[in-house]
Each structure stands twice: as C-alpha cells, then as structure tokens.
Amino acid sequence: MYLLDLVRRSLVVVGKRRSNGAIKSCRIHDLFHDLCLRKAEEHNFSSGIYRYNKHSYSCPHSLNNPSTKSRLYLGTNHILTIPSYCSSCISEVSSTFFKDVSIVWDTSKLIRTWDISSIDLVVFPSELLQLVHLRYLELRFRSGNPPESISLLSKLHTVIMSSKMSIVVPKNMWKIITLKHLCIKSGENFVSIPNVEELSLLENLQTMSLVSPTRPCQNILARTRNLQKLGLCGPLTTKSGDFHCPDLGHLMHLETLKLLNALIPSCKAGRLRTSVIFPASLKNLTMLNTYLDWKEAWVFEIIPHLEVLKLKRHALVGKNWETSPEAFPRLKFLKLYDLDIETWTASRNHFPVLTGVRMPMSD
C-alpha cells in the first residue's frame, strides 16, 4: 500500500513489472536519492558511508592511520549491505571471509538486515551467530552449507542463499519458527529434518525454493499449510518418463509454483501419474525440462485460477498442441520458450482473458 502510494506520487519509479503486471523492482531519481541520504544522516540512520578501492578496505575512521589494520566499522544502524559494486574489490579476500578486515562486533548486535551476497564464502561465518536480532540474511557460498547452529538466529524471517554447489538445509533451520522465506537461488538442493515426530507445524513459512522433491521435502510440505511460493528442482520424472511431484493438494494458499526437472527420461514424451494434483489457488506456474507429452497439458488447463503459465525448454514435447474448449479460464499470460511445437490449435472461445503471449527464440 505504501509502495503504490509512492509510485502514484512519482517519488518511486517502477523499474520492472512481473508478467501479471505486479511490481517486480523499483528505483528512485538521483535527486530524491540525495535527499534520502541527507535525511538519513540527519537522523543518524546510517552513520557512515565507506568507500572501497582496489588495495584498501579502510573506512574513513582509519584513513589517517595507515599502520592500523584495515577495519570495517558497523554502527548502531539496523541495516548493513555490502553492495555489488564492491565485489571486484573484495575478491582477493573472499576465500577466508574478510581475510585482512577485522569486524568490530560489539556495536553491531542490533543489525537486522545482513547482505554479503557479493562475497564467495567457503564457510559460514560463525560471527554472524552473534547477530541475534537478524531478520534478513543473504549469503553466497563457493561451497559448504549453513550450520545447525543457525537456529541461534531465532528471529530470522528471510534467508536467501546461492552456491556453485548443492546446498543442504540443516535440520535445525526448521526450529526457527519465525521463518517466512527460504530461498536458494539455483541448483538442486536438499533439506534435512529431525525425526518426523519432532517436526512441528511451520505456520509462518510462505516461500520455499529451490529444493529437491525428496522424502524429507515432502515431510516439510506436509507441515506448511500457509505456503504461497514453492520451487522444486530435482528428479520430477522417472527414466521411463512418468512425471511425479510431491502432494500439493493440501497447500490451499499456494499461488506460485516452479517445477524444474533434473532427470532426462529415456522416452521421447513423458506421462502424468494419476496422483498429480495442483491446488486450485495456483496462479503462476513455471515448468522446465519436464518432457511431458502435449496430450498431458490438460492437467494445467483445468487449474481454475491460473493466470501465468511459463513453459520453458522441454517442458512439453511434441509438434502439436490442441487445447480443450474449457481451457485456461483465467489465463492472462502465456510464455512458450525453446519448445518444438509446430501447430497450436485453439478456437476463439479458448483463453477468454488472455492478454499476452511470448514465444522468444531460444539461445
């Protein structure tokens, strides 16, 4: 509500919109940005803005003392972000997490937002566990996983991770009852859980992606009845071509679903298993590498509230697609990317509210 009000006043400019028209990113004018910085300084919201160069990580407080070891000082403000433009400067020390930089932690315990996604971490920095007021944490690993002790950050709302390797979500992650959003940006990642009897309801969890649809994942899904966004990446088909995914029928609030298959079947076109059920609440569906025959597309056509459908590389295979008369009653946007379809048969009564179709060329 506040964001839309700022957009209407032209104080915030919409940068990108989602395929359904919702705001994806925003920006502000340079002049307004300068005003924000001045106001932040007046209210002591951000006590210092530090500039980095190729050879030094010193902040203004240590520039006059070249013999002092480089330090990054953290004020009492609640937000600290190492911006992406620093990534080239700190690449020299990324292997050991600020090798030449000592962090003054005694003044930073109230930090609520921590983004160090511009650094490739080899291990999870244990010092982060002292930031017990953290609400938002974003990390990028070269390899490795978050530790079981991450549950000490008991007030976390959002955890965003990326890695060049698969990540294993520790079982103690599910002890953080405040957790709302768990997002792993790419790859096939795995979840660990305690004994099923010890796994409590995850009432606050709204987002979970990208995780492999293994048995532990299914146990998690059974306890996330308020989940709104889900991304699955892993073996969603068998070698023989049977498509399957965890039971999603009980996720009555699920609106966005991504299904990314990691196993290429031996057959030319796969089949649905009769147990596949998509919740009626689903509005946005993306599929990739699922290798389904176009004849199986009926299961998506009948989703009553589906508004956005993105079928990407090998999501469905075959030359012909013929939609049924009652197909996609609320679909507004359709994207077909890198598919081998040649003929699409539909009547004027199909897709009654469709406003956009994108069929970009493959790379």
Side-chain angles (χ1 to χ4, degrees):
M1 179 180 66
Y2 293 123
L3 178 61
L4 292 176
D5 183 57
L6 292 172
V7 170
R8 283 192 293 267
R9 295 167 181 258
S10 298
L11 296 175
V12 170
V13 180
V14 176
K16 294 182 180 179
R17 290 188 179 272
R18 302 185 185 278
S19 51
N20 61 359
I23 296 175
K24 186 173 185 178
S25 65
C26 296
R27 55 186 173 86
I28 58 176
H29 194 277
D30 289 346
L31 294 176
F32 187 48
H33 182 244
D34 291 338
L35 174 63
C36 291
L37 292 179
R38 289 199 300 271
K39 287 296 183 182
E41 187 174 0
E42 289 176 13
H43 292 275
N44 199 29
F45 180 74
S46 181
S47 58
I49 299 174
Y50 310 128
R51 299 183 181 278
Y52 300 81
N53 57 52
K54 187 174 181 180
H55 304 290
S56 174
Y57 306 98
S58 300
C59 71
H61 299 85
S62 60
L63 291 178
N64 295 327
N65 187 1
S67 63
T68 303
K69 188 177 181 180
S70 299
R71 289 185 177 184
L72 173 64
Y73 285 85
L74 308 180
T76 57
N77 54 294
H78 289 189
I79 298 177
L80 174 66
T81 299
I82 299 174
S84 58
Y85 60 74
C86 297
S87 58
S88 60
C89 306
I90 59 183
S91 60
E92 302 168 0
V93 297
S94 62
S95 62
T96 54
F97 184 64
F98 294 116
K99 177 181 178 182
D100 299 322
V101 181
S102 60
I103 300 178
V104 181
W105 293 94
D106 56 343
T107 61
S108 62
K109 300 298 176 61
L110 296 179
I111 289 176
R112 298 192 179 194
T113 298
W114 183 281
D115 180 351
I116 50 174
S117 57
S118 58
I119 304 172
D120 279 331
L121 299 173
V122 176
V123 295
F124 184 92
S126 59
E127 294 89 347
L128 284 181
L129 300 176
Q130 301 177 38
L131 307 182
V132 293
H133 293 282
L134 271 185
R135 304 293 196 274
Y136 179 102
L137 177 61
E138 185 165 357
L139 306 169
R140 186 178 75 201
F141 293 97
R142 182 179 301 175
S143 60
N145 306 296
E148 296 290 350
S149 54
I150 196 173
S151 59
L152 295 175
L153 303 176
S154 59
K155 296 183 179 180
L156 275 175
H157 289 182
T158 301
V159 177
I160 299 176
M161 299 182 288
S162 58
S163 176
K164 297 179 181 179
M165 308 291 287
S166 296
I167 291 177
V168 178
V169 179
K171 61 184 179 181
N172 281 353
M173 181 73 78
W174 314 115
K175 293 182 179 180
I176 306 175
I177 60 175
T178 58
L179 189 64
K180 293 182 178 180
H181 308 286
L182 173 62
C183 177
I184 307 175
K185 291 187 175 181
S186 62
E188 182 182 356
N189 307 288
F190 303 90
V191 299
S192 298
I193 61 170
N195 294 331
V196 176
E197 296 78 12
E198 300 176 10
L199 188 61
S200 59
L201 289 177
L202 302 171
E203 298 281 2
N204 292 313
L205 195 62
Q206 299 175 18
T207 302
M208 185 168 68
S209 69
L210 291 162
V211 294
S212 184
T214 56
R215 176 60 62 181
C217 174
Q218 297 178 38
N219 290 329
I220 293 292
L221 291 176
R223 289 160 172 79
T224 56
R225 56 189 178 190
N226 293 319
L227 202 66
Q228 297 177 14
K229 296 182 179 180
L230 174 63
L232 298 176
C233 179
L236 292 166
T237 64
T238 63
K239 276 292 186 179
S240 60
D242 288 331
F243 174 81
H244 63 95
C245 68
D247 182 15
L248 307 177
H250 67 286
L251 301 178
M252 304 304 294
H253 301 283
L254 189 68
E255 295 187 355
T256 300
L257 176 63
K258 291 185 178 181
L259 299 176
L260 314 180
N261 180 44
L263 178 64
I264 300 177
S266 56
C267 63
K268 294 183 178 180
R271 302 167 300 280
L272 285 173
R273 291 182 58 180
T274 56
S275 59
V276 175
I277 299 176
F278 294 104
S281 58
L282 196 62
K283 293 183 178 180
N284 192 320
L285 175 62
T286 300
M287 301 188 65
L288 172 70
N289 279 337
T290 44
Y291 286 89
L292 281 173
D293 191 290
W294 279 107
K295 295 179 181 179
E296 307 290 358
W298 65 268
V299 73
F300 318 125
E301 298 177 4
I302 63 174
I303 300 175
H305 298 98
L306 191 64
E307 297 179 356
V308 176
L309 177 62
K310 298 178 181 180
L311 302 175
K312 300 183 179 181
R313 182 172 299 154
H314 307 306
L316 289 104
V317 295
K319 305 297 183 182
N320 305 305
W321 182 24
E322 182 174 356
T323 53
S324 61
E326 305 299 328
F328 303 110
R330 297 193 182 182
L331 194 70
K332 297 179 181 179
F333 179 84
L334 175 64
K335 181 176 182 178
L336 306 177
Y337 174 76
D338 199 10
L339 305 175
D340 57 358
I341 183 174
E342 296 179 355
T343 304
W344 178 12
T345 305
S347 74
R348 66 180 66 185
N349 297 324
H350 297 180
F351 305 94
V353 296
L354 190 67
T355 58
V357 177
R358 289 188 62 191
M359 302 179 68
M361 299 295 292
S362 60
D363 295 335

